[in-house]
Amino acid sequence: MPLFYMELALGQYNREGAATVWKICPVFKGVGYAVILIALYVGFYYNVIIAWSLYYLFSSFTFELPWTNCGNNWNSPNCTDPKLFNASALGNGTKYSKYKLTPAAEFYERGVLHLHESCGIHDLGSPRWQLSLCLLVVVIILFFSLWKGVKTSGKVVWITATLPYVVLFVLLIHGITLPGAYNGINAYLHIDFKRLKEATVWIDAATQIFYSLGAGFGVLIAFASYNKFDNNCYRDALLTSTINCVTSFFSGFAIFSILGYMAHEHKVKIEDVATEGAGLVFILYPEAISTLSGSTFWAVVFFIMLLTLGIDSSMGGMEAVITGLADDFQLLKRHRKLFTFSVSFGTFLVALCCITNGGIYVLTLLDTFAAGTSILFAVLMEAIGVSWFYGVDRFSEDIQQMMGFKPGLYWRLCWKFVSPAFLLFVVIVSIINFKPLTYDDYAFPLWANRIGWGIALSSMILVPAYIIYKFLNVRGTFKERLAYCITPENEHHLVAQGNVRQFKLQHWLTI
C-alpha cells in the first residue's frame, strides 16, 4: 500500500508518465524505461490468456460443453470420463490437479493448445488459426479502448471493472450450495503458519500484490497523471488497496467452494485438486462447471468474467507503455492513434509465438522471467530514487501542495526504510532460490533458461545503463555532473550556484 500511494502521488503531482516523471531525479529515468519495457513484455503473453478466455467463451455456446466427455477428435485413447474416475488411478502420489487425461485437461492441452504436437520449446510449429482470430479480436478491442486515451478507456473500464463483481457474487452464491463446498472453504481459511517461514511464500506474495495492484508497471503513474492536481490520492490509495484485498479474499470463497465440490465428487483431498494459474482457470473450474445444472449458462458467465478482467488489466499495462513513451517523445504524442496501433499490432505479432503448438512454453518463459525478479528490482530502484535521492521530506511537501496535509510518520518510514529493505530482501532471495524452469514434466533446456534471464536483464540493465549515459552526457566537473544528475530539473539553477541539497547530510537523514 505505501508504494501504491507513492506512485499515485508521484504521477498526480508531476503530471507525467513513467519515464518523464523522473525529472525529479534525472539519473533514475532508466527506471521508467525499465517498467515500460516490463509492461510491454507482459502484454506479449497476457493478451494470449485473454484470447484463450475468448476461445472458451465461443466454445461454451453449445448444449453440451466440449470438455464434458471424451470421444472428441482431440481426445486421446486414454481419456478418462470423470464420472468413471477412481482415485486409485492416480497412483505414485500424483494429484488430481496434475492428472492430464480428463476431458477438461485434454480440451485445454490438446483441443486448444495442441501441446501434444510439440516436443518442447525448440519445436513451436505454426500459430493456430482459431487462437489467432481470438487474439486479433482482443487486440482490436484493446486498440479501440485506448486510441483516444482516458476518454475511451475511462468509459470501457466502467464495464470491465464492475461486471466481474456481479459475476463473482453469482458464482459464489451458487458455489456455496454445492456438496463439499464447506470443506473447500474450511481449507481456504486454514492457515499453515509453518509455510510463513519459507522465503518463496513472501516472494510469491510480493509478486502477486504487484500484479494485483498494478504497482511497478507504470500503470498507476500513467493513470494518476490524468487526475486533477488537488485530487485526494491518499483516499484513493486506501480505498483501492482495501477493495482489492477484500475482493481477493472474497474471490477465494468462490474458488475454494468449487474446489471443495470437486474434491467431494472425486473423493480426493482438497490439496489434490487445488492448483494455480491456467490449471485452475482453464481445467478445474471448467470441469466443475460442466457438472452443474445449466452448465452452458455458468460457463458463459464465468468466461465473460475472465474476459472483462483480462481486458481491464491489459488496458492498464498498454496505457502505461503508450503514456510513458508518448510523454517522453512529442512525436509519438502528436500521433497517439498511430502509436497506439503500432503498440497493439506489435504485441499481436510477438504474441503469435505463444499460440503455436509449443506456445505454452514461450508463455511460461515470459511469465516467469519478464516480470518476476525484474519488476521487484524496478520497484526497489523506484523506492530508492523517490525516498532517498529526491527525498521523503520534499515528496511529502509535494503531497501537501496537492491535498493540504503531509503524509503521516508511518508512510514516511515505510517509503524510506521498510519498503526498500523488504524489496531488497525479496530480490536477493528470488535470485538465490531460482530453480531451472519446468512446465509439468517438461524441463526447459539450459539455453531457454539463459534466454529467460536475458529477458529479465534486458529491462533491469536499463537502470545502470541510463545512469552511465546521463552522467557522460552532462557537462562540467565530476561534482557538477553528479549534482545535475540527482537534482530535480526545476532546481538545476541552484546547481550553478553551488547549492545542492543532496550534498548536505541533512537531506539523507530527514524523514
PDB file of all heavy atoms in Angstrom, residues 233-245:
ATOM      1  N   CYS A 233      -5.494  11.644  -3.577  1.00  0.00           N
ATOM      2  CA  CYS A 233      -4.932  10.349  -3.954  1.00  0.00           C
ATOM      3  C   CYS A 233      -4.661   9.477  -2.726  1.00  0.00           C
ATOM      4  O   CYS A 233      -4.537   8.249  -2.847  1.00  0.00           O
ATOM      5  CB  CYS A 233      -3.667  10.530  -4.783  1.00  0.00           C
ATOM      6  SG  CYS A 233      -2.354  11.444  -3.974  1.00  0.00           S
ATOM      7  N   TYR A 234      -4.572  10.101  -1.542  1.00  0.00           N
ATOM      8  CA  TYR A 234      -4.420   9.325  -0.303  1.00  0.00           C
ATOM      9  C   TYR A 234      -5.665   8.483  -0.053  1.00  0.00           C
ATOM     10  O   TYR A 234      -5.575   7.277   0.232  1.00  0.00           O
ATOM     11  CB  TYR A 234      -4.190  10.284   0.868  1.00  0.00           C
ATOM     12  CG  TYR A 234      -4.169   9.615   2.225  1.00  0.00           C
ATOM     13  CD1 TYR A 234      -3.183   8.692   2.551  1.00  0.00           C
ATOM     14  CD2 TYR A 234      -5.134   9.918   3.185  1.00  0.00           C
ATOM     15  CE1 TYR A 234      -3.161   8.079   3.796  1.00  0.00           C
ATOM     16  CE2 TYR A 234      -5.119   9.312   4.438  1.00  0.00           C
ATOM     17  CZ  TYR A 234      -4.131   8.395   4.738  1.00  0.00           C
ATOM     18  OH  TYR A 234      -4.113   7.795   5.969  1.00  0.00           O
ATOM     19  N   ARG A 235      -6.830   9.107  -0.225  1.00  0.00           N
ATOM     20  CA  ARG A 235      -8.097   8.374  -0.087  1.00  0.00           C
ATOM     21  C   ARG A 235      -8.196   7.294  -1.154  1.00  0.00           C
ATOM     22  O   ARG A 235      -8.609   6.155  -0.876  1.00  0.00           O
ATOM     23  CB  ARG A 235      -9.252   9.365  -0.226  1.00  0.00           C
ATOM     24  CG  ARG A 235     -10.656   8.735  -0.192  1.00  0.00           C
ATOM     25  CD  ARG A 235     -11.653   9.668  -0.849  1.00  0.00           C
ATOM     26  NE  ARG A 235     -11.287   9.935  -2.245  1.00  0.00           N
ATOM     27  CZ  ARG A 235     -11.652  11.019  -2.917  1.00  0.00           C
ATOM     28  NH1 ARG A 235     -12.388  11.940  -2.345  1.00  0.00           N
ATOM     29  NH2 ARG A 235     -11.269  11.179  -4.180  1.00  0.00           N
ATOM     30  N   ASP A 236      -7.791   7.632  -2.381  1.00  0.00           N
ATOM     31  CA  ASP A 236      -7.841   6.671  -3.478  1.00  0.00           C
ATOM     32  C   ASP A 236      -6.970   5.454  -3.190  1.00  0.00           C
ATOM     33  O   ASP A 236      -7.358   4.313  -3.467  1.00  0.00           O
ATOM     34  CB  ASP A 236      -7.382   7.330  -4.785  1.00  0.00           C
ATOM     35  CG  ASP A 236      -8.348   8.403  -5.263  1.00  0.00           C
ATOM     36  OD1 ASP A 236      -9.482   8.451  -4.740  1.00  0.00           O
ATOM     37  OD2 ASP A 236      -7.965   9.179  -6.149  1.00  0.00           O
ATOM     38  N   ALA A 237      -5.776   5.714  -2.633  1.00  0.00           N
ATOM     39  CA  ALA A 237      -4.841   4.622  -2.331  1.00  0.00           C
ATOM     40  C   ALA A 237      -5.420   3.690  -1.278  1.00  0.00           C
ATOM     41  O   ALA A 237      -5.371   2.462  -1.426  1.00  0.00           O
ATOM     42  CB  ALA A 237      -3.503   5.190  -1.869  1.00  0.00           C
ATOM     43  N   LEU A 238      -5.958   4.264  -0.220  1.00  0.00           N
ATOM     44  CA  LEU A 238      -6.535   3.451   0.850  1.00  0.00           C
ATOM     45  C   LEU A 238      -7.745   2.669   0.359  1.00  0.00           C
ATOM     46  O   LEU A 238      -7.869   1.467   0.615  1.00  0.00           O
ATOM     47  CB  LEU A 238      -6.946   4.344   2.030  1.00  0.00           C
ATOM     48  CG  LEU A 238      -5.832   4.960   2.872  1.00  0.00           C
ATOM     49  CD1 LEU A 238      -6.433   5.847   3.957  1.00  0.00           C
ATOM     50  CD2 LEU A 238      -4.970   3.881   3.517  1.00  0.00           C
ATOM     51  N   LEU A 239      -8.626   3.362  -0.358  1.00  0.00           N
ATOM     52  CA  LEU A 239      -9.867   2.744  -0.810  1.00  0.00           C
ATOM     53  C   LEU A 239      -9.596   1.638  -1.836  1.00  0.00           C
ATOM     54  O   LEU A 239     -10.116   0.517  -1.721  1.00  0.00           O
ATOM     55  CB  LEU A 239     -10.776   3.817  -1.418  1.00  0.00           C
ATOM     56  CG  LEU A 239     -12.228   3.416  -1.708  1.00  0.00           C
ATOM     57  CD1 LEU A 239     -12.931   3.014  -0.422  1.00  0.00           C
ATOM     58  CD2 LEU A 239     -12.972   4.564  -2.377  1.00  0.00           C
ATOM     59  N   THR A 240      -8.758   1.943  -2.830  1.00  0.00           N
ATOM     60  CA  THR A 240      -8.481   0.978  -3.887  1.00  0.00           C
ATOM     61  C   THR A 240      -7.756  -0.251  -3.348  1.00  0.00           C
ATOM     62  O   THR A 240      -8.094  -1.387  -3.697  1.00  0.00           O
ATOM     63  CB  THR A 240      -7.633   1.628  -4.999  1.00  0.00           C
ATOM     64  OG1 THR A 240      -8.277   2.814  -5.460  1.00  0.00           O
ATOM     65  CG2 THR A 240      -7.441   0.666  -6.164  1.00  0.00           C
ATOM     66  N   SER A 241      -6.749  -0.038  -2.503  1.00  0.00           N
ATOM     67  CA  SER A 241      -5.998  -1.158  -1.934  1.00  0.00           C
ATOM     68  C   SER A 241      -6.892  -2.046  -1.085  1.00  0.00           C
ATOM     69  O   SER A 241      -6.803  -3.278  -1.145  1.00  0.00           O
ATOM     70  CB  SER A 241      -4.831  -0.644  -1.084  1.00  0.00           C
ATOM     71  OG  SER A 241      -3.942   0.116  -1.853  1.00  0.00           O
ATOM     72  N   THR A 242      -7.754  -1.404  -0.295  1.00  0.00           N
ATOM     73  CA  THR A 242      -8.654  -2.170   0.572  1.00  0.00           C
ATOM     74  C   THR A 242      -9.641  -2.976  -0.252  1.00  0.00           C
ATOM     75  O   THR A 242      -9.860  -4.176   0.001  1.00  0.00           O
ATOM     76  CB  THR A 242      -9.416  -1.217   1.524  1.00  0.00           C
ATOM     77  OG1 THR A 242      -8.474  -0.474   2.301  1.00  0.00           O
ATOM     78  CG2 THR A 242     -10.328  -2.011   2.448  1.00  0.00           C
ATOM     79  N   ILE A 243     -10.253  -2.337  -1.253  1.00  0.00           N
ATOM     80  CA  ILE A 243     -11.209  -3.033  -2.114  1.00  0.00           C
ATOM     81  C   ILE A 243     -10.531  -4.189  -2.835  1.00  0.00           C
ATOM     82  O   ILE A 243     -11.094  -5.286  -2.969  1.00  0.00           O
ATOM     83  CB  ILE A 243     -11.843  -2.059  -3.128  1.00  0.00           C
ATOM     84  CG1 ILE A 243     -12.749  -1.057  -2.407  1.00  0.00           C
ATOM     85  CG2 ILE A 243     -12.633  -2.818  -4.185  1.00  0.00           C
ATOM     86  CD1 ILE A 243     -13.317   0.020  -3.303  1.00  0.00           C
ATOM     87  N   ASN A 244      -9.298  -3.963  -3.292  1.00  0.00           N
ATOM     88  CA  ASN A 244      -8.556  -5.009  -3.988  1.00  0.00           C
ATOM     89  C   ASN A 244      -8.324  -6.220  -3.095  1.00  0.00           C
ATOM     90  O   ASN A 244      -8.544  -7.365  -3.505  1.00  0.00           O
ATOM     91  CB  ASN A 244      -7.213  -4.454  -4.471  1.00  0.00           C
ATOM     92  CG  ASN A 244      -6.347  -5.515  -5.116  1.00  0.00           C
ATOM     93  OD1 ASN A 244      -6.547  -5.899  -6.256  1.00  0.00           O
ATOM     94  ND2 ASN A 244      -5.372  -6.002  -4.360  1.00  0.00           N
ATOM     95  N   CYS A 245      -7.880  -5.962  -1.859  1.00  0.00           N
ATOM     96  CA  CYS A 245      -7.604  -7.069  -0.937  1.00  0.00           C
ATOM     97  C   CYS A 245      -8.885  -7.789  -0.522  1.00  0.00           C
ATOM     98  O   CYS A 245      -8.907  -9.023  -0.425  1.00  0.00           O
ATOM     99  CB  CYS A 245      -6.872  -6.539   0.303  1.00  0.00           C
ATOM    100  SG  CYS A 245      -5.207  -5.950  -0.044  1.00  0.00           S
TER     101      CYS A 245
END
